[in-house]
């Protein structure tokens, strides 16, 4: 397999990020182009003005093309927004062949039987992710291919999205001449870039606190267990600061990023009690941080409400991993530990090859995750093609052995 190219477009509420990478047989991506543009025409993760959103996406794609010298034809694209819904479902098929051995074909059949949930016309199926298989009553099977059995069950996590919201996003991207390889739910993408397999195994929550939405994914026993999108994030923080302190929105945004912290003031190192913006607005440092801390605490409590409250400590002993631009706030992990009484860390993409410096920030977890998703997807497709090809070759050589 020679080097192949893959691209991802993360259309966020505050920025659009396009990444181009090539990858080799081993699957290690090397980033060859990045384009970031401020995003306009989006609200809470959704396209609200097609023309404006299209221009933001166009600018980001153009920058990525210029830096990589590669013409983008198709890309993996992230989906978020309150319209996304998820549920856990089951599917079952009988293994009727004489040998009763589970084949890759049976996995396809059982997954499609798990898709037979009634989905209303105004919703589109985004993902049907196998969580685990059961072969003749034996549960927790990760890969049943090759096992013997009469009956194969699958437990799946099914994610759907509102058709209209998806169509608006697709329209923006297609109209600039880029095809969509796959639509990927954003918290799944972020998880791909940030979570370790140990964390997913013991149980962990990933929360991407971006500009317009907080995207949540919960993993248990190595599989996705729950996904959800909350319509509160950094934008609401800035609005609170703006309203609470009587500042114009962009000054509030600047104050939040420059001086914002969720640490109690006595622990922070700022001795000066007034925070001054570039254009001379001054506010009490303590008031600024109190407002931000109150909203972040609220977001963390909302994250916890996604789990059954009595058992969250046993469900997610690996705690909470925070990504998204808002997780840059000083002291956020410590506050999380106070609220959740669990381990909390901030995750940023790391160990990437190529021109990746700008991406080493929690705000780019989704963008890098979409790329990782794309690489894995392309590799598994290749693998299927390859293993099918080699099965034919094996059969041919066996026949040759028999007859000649
Ligand atoms: N140092 C910082 N301190 C506080 N907030 C920050 C900091 N840096 C960035 N942010 C906030 O992070 C948010 C942007 O995060 P991010 O880039 O992850 O969002 P997005 O992907 O554009 O939006 P979304 O995923 O919600 O659609 C903004 O609200 C911004 O104010
Ligand atoms: Mg985002």
């Amino acid at each position: 397999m020679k080097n192949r190219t893959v691209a991802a477009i993360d259309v966020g509420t505050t920025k659009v990020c396009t990444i181009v990478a090539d990858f080799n047989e081993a699957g290690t991506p090397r980033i060859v182009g990045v384009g970031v543009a401020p995003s306009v025409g989006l609200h809470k993760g959704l396209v609200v003005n097609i023309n404006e959103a299209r221009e933001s996406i166009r600018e980001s794609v153009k920058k990525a093309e210029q830096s990589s010298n590669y013409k983008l034809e198709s890309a993996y694209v992230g989906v978020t927004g309150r319209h996304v819904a998820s549920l856990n479902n089951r599917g079952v098929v009988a293994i009727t062949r004489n040998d009763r051995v589970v084949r890759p074909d049976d996995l396809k059949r059982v997954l499609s039987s798990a898709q037979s949930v009634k989905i209303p016309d105004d919703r589109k199926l985004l993902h049907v992710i196998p969580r685990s298989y059961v072969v003749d009553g034996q549960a927790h099977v990760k890969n049943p291919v090759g096992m013997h059995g009469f009956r194969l069950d699958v437990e799946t996590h099914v994610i759907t999205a509102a058709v209209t919201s998806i169509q608006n996003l697709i329209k923006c991207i297609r109209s600039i001449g880029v095809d969509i390889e796959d639509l990927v739910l954003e918290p799944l993408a972020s998880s791909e870039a940030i979570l370790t397999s140990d964390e997913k195994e013991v149980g962990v929550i990933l929360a991407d606190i971006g500009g317009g939405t907080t995207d949540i994914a919960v993993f248990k026993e190595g599989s996705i267990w729950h996904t959800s999108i909350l319509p509160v994030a950094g934008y609401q923080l800035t609005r609170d600061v703006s309203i609470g302190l009587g500042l114009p929105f962009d000054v509030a945004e600047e104050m939040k990023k420059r001086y914002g912290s969720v640490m109690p003031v006595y622990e922070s190192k700022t001795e000066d009690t007034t925070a001054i913006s570039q254009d001379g607005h001054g506010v009490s440092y303590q008031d600024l941080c109190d407002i931000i801390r109150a909203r972040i605490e609220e977001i963390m409590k909302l994250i916890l409400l996604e789990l059954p409250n009595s058992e969250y400590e046993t469900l997610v002993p690996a705690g909470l991993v925070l990504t998204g631009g808002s997780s840059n706030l000083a002291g956020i992990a410590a506050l999380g530990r106070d609220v959740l009484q669990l381990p909390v860390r901030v995750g940023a993409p790391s160990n990437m090859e190529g021109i990746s410096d700008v991406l080493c920030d929690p705000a780019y977890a989704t963008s890098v995750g979409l790329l990782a998703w794309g690489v894995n997807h392309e590799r598994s497709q290749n693998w299927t093609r390859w293993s099918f090809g080699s099965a034919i070759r094996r059969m041919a050589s066996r026949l040759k052995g028999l007859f000649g």
Side-chain angles (χ1 to χ4, degrees):
M1 192 168 107
K2 62 180 186 20
N3 273 12
R4 301 204 25 201
T5 308
V6 63
I9 309 178
D10 172 11
V11 187
T13 307
T14 56
K15 51 112 183 34
V16 183
C17 174
T18 304
I19 310 180
V20 181
D22 55 27
F23 64 98
N24 55 20
E25 207 165 339
T28 322
R30 185 175 57 106
I31 290 161
V32 294
V34 178
V36 182
S39 94
V40 192
L42 273 108
H43 183 66
K44 299 196 178 194
L46 296 181
V47 174
V48 289
N49 181 325
I50 292 201
N51 291 339
E52 288 178 348
R54 183 184 55 225
E55 290 318 305
S56 302
I57 298 168
R58 193 199 301 279
E59 194 189 332
S60 153
V61 167
K62 202 170 98 193
K63 285 183 177 168
E65 288 182 334
Q66 281 166 348
S67 64
S68 63
N69 205 10
Y70 172 83
K71 172 84 185 72
L72 215 94
E73 275 163 11
S74 64
Y76 289 81
V77 174
V79 173
T80 183
R82 203 167 24 170
H83 61 99
V84 175
S86 69
L87 63 107
N88 289 335
N89 193 34
R90 295 182 77 110
V92 57
V93 290
I95 310 295
T96 47
R97 279 181 308 270
N98 288 342
D99 63 2
R100 311 277 179 205
V101 173
V102 179
R103 306 239 164 93
D105 240 24
D106 299 317
L107 298 196
K108 274 195 198 149
R109 277 198 308 132
V110 77
L111 277 177
S112 76
S113 96
Q115 285 176 26
S116 58
V117 272
K118 181 89 194 86
I119 296 167
D121 289 345
D122 58 351
R123 301 197 67 79
K124 177 185 161 44
L125 199 61
L126 266 191
H127 300 282
V128 178
I129 304 167
R131 298 169 57 222
S132 77
Y133 296 91
V134 182
V135 182
D136 282 359
Q138 184 189 332
H140 306 298
V141 176
K142 287 284 169 220
N143 183 6
V145 171
M147 289 178 74
H148 289 259
F150 288 90
R151 175 191 164 122
L152 175 66
D153 293 62
V154 66
E155 290 177 19
T156 55
H157 188 67
V158 180
I159 300 170
T160 64
V163 168
T164 45
S165 307
I166 300 279
Q167 272 170 344
N168 292 338
L169 181 66
I170 293 177
K171 194 168 169 185
C172 287
I173 293 175
R174 291 236 173 99
S175 69
I176 60 163
V178 176
D179 243 355
I180 294 168
E181 285 286 349
D182 210 353
L183 293 166
V184 183
L185 185 68
E186 293 189 359
L188 290 179
S190 311
S191 313
E192 197 82 17
I194 302 297
L195 296 181
T196 66
S197 39
D198 278 355
E199 284 170 331
K200 291 192 218 177
E201 195 58 45
V202 295
V204 69
I205 313 170
L206 176 122
D208 187 291
I209 313 179
T213 57
T214 294
D215 301 353
I216 298 169
V218 182
F219 286 81
K220 184 72 186 171
E221 286 164 3
S223 313
I224 186 76
W225 185 84
H226 177 68
T227 45
S228 164
I229 312 289
L230 307 176
V232 251
Y235 174 84
Q236 282 70 28
L237 279 172
T238 306
R239 211 184 47 181
D240 289 352
V241 171
S242 159
I243 294 169
L245 302 178
L247 297 171
F249 191 86
D250 46 338
V251 177
E253 175 76 10
E254 180 202 334
M255 290 291 205
K256 176 186 82 171
K257 287 200 202 163
R258 269 177 76 175
Y259 303 105
S261 156
V262 296
M263 286 187 278
V265 166
Y266 58 83
E267 276 182 22
S268 69
K269 296 193 175 58
T270 311
E271 274 148 34
D272 190 352
T273 51
T274 306
I276 313 264
S277 74
Q278 256 170 347
D279 66 357
H281 282 86
V283 296
S284 147
Y285 182 78
Q286 174 149 15
D287 290 349
L288 176 72
C289 295
D290 282 351
I291 291 173
I292 295 173
R293 188 169 56 248
R295 182 61 95 163
I296 289 287
E297 248 185 88
E298 187 208 359
I299 292 178
M300 290 187 168
K301 286 178 185 155
L302 288 173
I303 295 171
L304 262 194
L305 284 179
E306 292 295 318
L307 303 174
N309 58 1
S310 52
E311 27 176 325
Y312 76 86
E313 282 148 336
T314 49
L315 191 68
V316 288
L320 172 67
V321 177
L322 293 168
T323 60
S326 303
S327 60
N328 280 309
L329 279 165
I332 197 167
L335 178 68
R337 285 189 282 271
D338 272 359
V339 176
L340 275 76
Q341 297 294 312
L342 285 172
V344 178
R345 72 175 176 97
V346 174
S350 59
N351 297 329
M352 288 166 291
E353 285 184 23
I355 44 160
S356 57
D357 308 8
V358 60
L359 302 174
C360 299
D361 181 298
Y364 293 100
T366 308
S367 324
V368 172
L370 285 169
L371 190 87
W373 183 285
V375 170
N376 287 344
H377 188 245
E378 306 263 318
R379 285 184 68 218
S380 72
Q381 278 198 334
N382 265 313
W383 181 81
T384 320
R385 265 180 238 141
W386 178 84
S387 57
F388 183 65
S390 73
I392 290 181
R393 273 195 301 278
R394 270 203 310 277
M395 196 151 65
S397 77
R398 215 176 294 157
L399 288 175
K400 234 160 103 191
L402 276 178
F403 296 110

